[in-house]
Each structure stands twice: as C-alpha cells, then as structure tokens.
Amino acid sequence: MPRLINSTQPPLKFIPQSFNPLVLQILRWLLPIILRYRTRPWLPAGIVHIEAKNTKVLAGLYQQFQAGKIRFLIAFRHPEVEDPLCMLYLLSRIVPKVARQQNIPLQNPIHSYFLYDRGMTVWAGNWLGWLFSQVGGVPVRRGRRLDRQAIQTARELFANGRLPIAVAPEGGTNGHSSIVSPLEPGVAQMGFWCVEDLQKANRSETVLIVPIAIQYRYIKPPWSKLDWLLSKLEADSGLPVLPISHSAIHSQEEIYHQRLCRLAEYLIAEMEEFYRRFYHQDIPKTISIESATSNQDLIPRLHRLLDKALQVAEQYFGFQSKGNFIDRCRRLEEAGWNHIYREDLPDINTLPPFKRGLADWVAQEADLRMLHMRLVESFVAVTTNYIEEQPTTERFAETALLIFDMLSRIKDTKLPGRPSLGWKKAQITVGEPIPVTERWVSSQADKQAARQAVTDLTKDLQVALEKLIAH
C-alpha cells in the first residue's frame, strides 16, 4: 500500500507566472527528444510523429491576435499526459511552418499561456513548477470553488497578455483518445469574463474559444506487448495466465476481449469484497468469473463500485454525495489537500510535539482516504461499448493501462511509470472558433441568463470537441 505522505505539510503556495523566452526556446530545442524518450530513455515508448489538420485556421487566429483584433482561448482535449508536449509542438513547429506556406506573417513567439494542475508539482517535484512558470504556466487548485489568485491571473492574461491562453476543459486526463469527458464550466466562464473586461476597458476585440482535439495511434499494432501486459496484470492479480492461442474459432481481438473482461470481473469482485468486508458497504454478491465474457454486466458493477469507493472517502471528510464522479473527485482532492497542506497552521515547525503529532496523523489519514478517490479517477470514462464498437489495439491498450494504474496504486510503494507498448503518433485537429462576444450580450439580462449562457457555451464546446475526434 502506498504511503506517500507521512506528515503534515506547509501550504501549497501559488507559483507566479514568469514567462522567459530563453527557457521556452531551450525547451523547444529539446522537444523532439522529450517526446520520444520522456518515459523510458531505453524503450520505444514515445511519440515519433505529430500531424495536424486545419492548422491554417490557428495561424490566421494568431495573425489577428497579434494585430489586436481578437483575443482567444485554446480549449484542447486532454486524454494523456503527453498532450501539453504535443500542443507545444503544434505551436512551435507546425503553426509557424503553415504560416510560412500560406504567407501569413507572424511574430515570435508563437506560444500560449496555460493553466495546469497545482497537484502536478506535488508528485513531480518543485522543478516542474519552476519550469511551467518560465514557459507561461499558471497553477490552479482543481477542487477549489474559487482559486482567487489563479483565476485573477488567468483572467488578466486572457484579456491583456501578449499571448493567447490554453486550457484543458476536461480538467484532467481520462486515458481515452476517443472519449471526451464532461467539460467543466471554467473555460466558458473565462470567455465571458474576458468579454466583460474588454467592455469595461472600451476595447473592441472579439473573444473566441478554439477547440482542439488530440488523438494517439501506435505506429505498429503492439499485440505482443499487449499480450505481455495482460499476462503481467493477470499474474499480479493472482489469476492464472492465459497465453494467446491462434484459433480458427476465435479471432485475436475476441481472445483479448475475453481476457480483459475476465481480468476486470475478477478485480471488480475482489474490490467489492474489500469494500464489503472492511468498509461495511452494502454491495450484493455476484456470479463467478467464468461467465464474464462481456462488459455489459461489468460496467454497472464498476460504476456501483466507484460510487461506494467515493462514499468511503466522502463519509470521512463529512461530505454528501453530490454531482458526477469527476465533481466528487475534485471535492475530495481539495478536502484531502486541506488536511495535508495546512493553511490554518502559521508554521508547522513551531508546533509542540503533541499538536504536530496530531497534524501528522490527520495528514496520513487524509492521504489514505484520497487513495479511494485516485482509484475512481482512473475509471471515470470507462463505458460499456468502447472496445466492442472498435476492438483496436489502442482501445485495448488504453483499458489495460488503466488497470495497470489501479494495481500500481494498490501494490507499489510509489506509482511507477507506465510500461512501454510501442512508438506512437499524434493526430491534432483544430476546430472552428466558437464566438463568445455575441453570447455575452444575451447573458447580461440577469443571473439566470448568465448561468444559462455558461451552460450553453460549455455544451457547444463539448459537441465541437466530440465532432473533432476521428472514429
């Protein structure tokens, strides 16, 4: 069982954005190497090719931005941790190239400010916070209803910064290239705030939101590596390893699908018993694993299990179960951080040993309770027919890697890097800009109209991102 935090910690301080063109240029030089070898320098695990569609639209937007005609926000899909690197490649390599080809004059740097999760520096280290600040990053506490300093900084940059700003409206990765998680309303709200700030300053720029989708494909289908990964997961779970047999009756895809369902059913059953026995959750017992050949019955059981896991954490922190899984995860993350990174203690080093011991106890307990939420976080996008509708190696791999993450959180002292399955390529698709300025006028009637305008814009952005995904 991971025990990542054993003592109370000082508050997570805001990391000011401090854009440094020199640091950005160095990162750009290193980018191809980072993309290839970010996870394991000695393994074929990285991204070797990135292509983009409709990039001319983005080049034209940068030209208008630099001419003072528009302000825009880039709303990009966030399926994997490599997404920001791919976005950097898009802006630093592809957009300038397309602009030259289309005779679109642009000034350097072609870049954007961006929001990032403050929690990334907790597990990656302080160096990441420094790097992000130097290349235009603004940290945000995801679970806070009102992270004032982050919001004020992002709002100021959107309206007055020398660069556009980029945000992942899903709020976090979901591990699925072909599924867009429910969007958080922050991007739409930022759009309306920008219009409001421009109106107050008597400025005429048009405000736009630009949807961008990112998808990943393996250069070669990694069936043998997938077989190895499934065998490892089966062994780590305690299941007998089932080797692939080339049969005339069952196709390769069918065999892999059966193995994944068998593994998933076994793990769900084990976790159901875990929560039933040790956390006294009311979870009915189900059939044996031999009959589990389809995920039609597994998904309802998985969702029930995720709900129970969140309830265990919510009961500890004194929460009611409100909202979808993502909303509940965000609230729990913020509650856990408030118990660990104590803003109510002026200086933890001056506490008497008794009070320091109690604070450490609270931090340890909060960290363990947050583990329930972390397990749920990995599976919020899993659906009934994701693999069945397209049994590709990518979808098999995405599901197997989510299971790997779950087992790693439980069995290892720290969360290891994901195993390599092969070289990948990224497909980036730029969507048509969504106007915000015109919508702002109709949102000014009253508070209800303002809330409805944010909801409608969020829905339209969700639809736009979903249409950009190639199935």
Side-chain angles (χ1 to χ4, degrees):
M1 167 68 72
R3 294 297 298 271
L4 302 180
I5 296 178
N6 294 312
S7 62
T8 190
Q9 305 292 316
L12 287 173
K13 295 182 179 180
F14 181 78
I15 304 173
Q17 183 274 139
S18 182
F19 179 64
N20 186 329
L22 177 60
V23 175
L24 175 63
Q25 186 57 52
I26 294 173
L27 184 60
R28 285 175 166 179
W29 287 334
L30 296 174
L31 186 57
I33 298 174
I34 297 173
L35 283 165
R36 278 175 172 259
Y37 303 111
R38 184 190 66 83
T39 54
R40 296 288 190 278
W42 57 90
L43 291 176
I47 298 171
V48 295
H49 180 66
I50 298 176
E51 60 183 28
K53 296 180 179 179
N54 209 25
T55 315
K56 182 181 177 181
V57 169
L58 194 55
L61 291 173
Y62 267 94
Q63 182 186 35
Q64 295 180 66
F65 180 93
Q66 293 175 354
K69 297 179 180 179
I70 64 171
R71 309 292 299 184
F72 70 89
L73 179 150
I74 297 172
F76 66 95
R77 272 236 54 213
H78 199 11
E80 302 289 351
V81 294
E82 293 87 358
D83 304 333
L85 294 174
C86 292
M87 289 299 301
L88 179 58
Y89 190 93
L90 171 69
L91 298 182
S92 64
R93 304 291 180 98
I94 300 179
V95 170
K97 180 180 178 180
V98 170
R100 289 192 297 269
Q101 293 172 344
Q102 299 294 327
N103 294 319
I104 299 174
L106 296 179
Q107 305 169 18
N108 286 320
I110 308 303
H111 188 56
S112 71
Y113 304 109
F114 60 94
L115 300 187
Y116 68 93
D117 174 20
R118 180 63 173 85
M120 294 179 66
T121 64
V122 172
W123 56 262
N126 293 333
W127 68 270
L128 188 66
W130 175 87
L131 177 62
F132 281 172
S133 73
Q134 296 292 297
V135 294
V138 177
V140 62
R141 294 274 290 268
R142 294 188 306 177
R144 284 191 169 179
R145 288 190 174 183
L146 194 62
D147 189 343
R148 292 184 181 277
Q149 200 161 5
I151 291 173
Q152 290 172 358
T153 302
R155 185 169 178 171
E156 170 66 20
L157 291 173
F158 194 177
N160 303 304
R162 58 178 294 200
L163 302 169
I165 191 167
V167 183
E170 292 165 281
T173 61
N174 68 7
H176 289 70
S177 278
S178 300
I179 294 180
V180 181
S181 292
L183 304 188
E184 298 182 2
V187 165
Q189 184 62 71
M190 286 179 63
F192 288 120
W193 280 337
C194 186
V195 177
E196 180 181 333
D197 293 340
L198 295 177
Q199 292 286 332
K200 289 180 179 179
N202 293 317
R203 291 163 55 185
S204 60
E205 297 103 308
T206 299
V207 178
L208 305 168
I209 293 177
V210 186
I212 295 182
I214 305 175
Q215 289 182 279
Y216 299 95
R217 297 285 186 270
Y218 287 101
I219 301 298
K220 295 181 180 179
W223 289 111
S224 61
K225 291 290 186 68
L226 184 59
D227 179 32
W228 167 83
L229 177 57
L230 285 175
S231 298
K232 174 178 172 55
L233 296 176
E234 290 163 347
D236 288 348
S237 302
L239 276 172
V241 175
L242 292 180
I244 290 291
S245 60
H246 298 281
S247 169
I249 301 176
H250 299 291
S251 67
Q252 184 173 237
E253 290 81 1
E254 289 174 330
I255 294 173
Y256 279 110
H257 189 234
Q258 290 178 10
R259 289 179 71 184
L260 262 179
C261 287
R262 176 176 177 268
L263 176 62
E265 204 283 337
Y266 176 80
L267 291 173
I268 289 174
E270 288 291 310
M271 295 303 294
E272 286 174 338
E273 179 60 23
F274 172 73
Y275 281 104
R276 187 186 301 116
R277 179 179 178 186
F278 296 105
Y279 290 95
H280 317 294
Q281 297 298 305
D282 182 17
I283 303 176
K285 293 188 176 183
T286 52
I287 57 176
S288 64
I289 64 171
E290 280 73 15
S291 61
T293 58
S294 170
N295 60 4
Q296 294 291 337
D297 296 327
L298 295 183
I299 297 302
R301 288 176 61 192
L302 173 63
H303 289 173
R304 180 180 61 200
L305 179 62
L306 300 183
D307 176 60
K308 295 297 184 181
L310 289 177
Q311 286 184 35
V312 167
E314 289 165 341
Q315 289 165 6
Y316 172 77
F317 289 113
F319 288 165
Q320 296 293 321
S321 300
K322 296 180 180 179
N324 58 34
F325 287 149
I326 296 175
D327 295 335
R328 294 164 69 183
C329 285
R330 297 289 183 268
R331 292 180 68 217
L332 287 169
E333 181 178 57
E334 181 62 19
W337 281 9
N338 287 338
H339 283 62
I340 297 169
Y341 302 95
R342 298 288 295 274
E343 296 183 358
D344 59 318
L345 300 177
D347 186 355
I348 60 175
N349 295 318
T350 62
L351 292 175
F354 170 66
K355 291 187 177 181
R356 178 60 186 264
L358 290 178
D360 291 346
W361 190 352
V362 168
Q364 293 171 12
E365 183 72 22
D367 191 42
L368 283 174
R369 295 289 173 162
M370 287 174 69
L371 183 57
H372 300 281
M373 179 271 294
R374 296 298 180 200
L375 296 179
V376 172
E377 224 176 13
S378 297
F379 295 97
V380 294
V382 175
T383 62
T384 302
N385 59 350
Y386 186 63
I387 290 179
E388 292 177 349
E389 66 180 10
Q390 284 193 34
T392 62
T393 49
E394 284 79 17
R395 298 195 179 196
F396 279 115
E398 287 172 359
T399 305
L401 288 170
L402 291 178
I403 296 176
F404 174 86
D405 291 344
M406 173 247 189
L407 291 178
S408 298
R409 291 187 184 279
I410 294 175
K411 69 184 181 68
D412 294 328
T413 56
K414 64 178 181 179
L415 186 61
R418 283 180 162 189
S420 163
L421 298 183
W423 299 113
K424 293 192 293 185
K425 59 182 178 181
Q427 171 68 61
I428 304 176
T429 306
V430 180
E432 294 300 319
I434 301 175
V436 180
T437 304
E438 294 85 348
R439 297 169 182 254
W440 179 83
V441 176
S442 62
S443 73
Q444 297 304 295
D446 50 39
K447 291 183 177 180
Q448 178 61 33
R451 287 194 293 268
Q452 188 60 47
V454 170
T455 300
D456 291 343
L457 180 53
T458 302
K459 289 180 179 178
D460 290 346
L461 179 58
Q462 176 104 29
V463 171
L465 287 171
E466 290 172 348
K467 286 182 178 179
L468 293 177
I469 294 176
H471 291 286

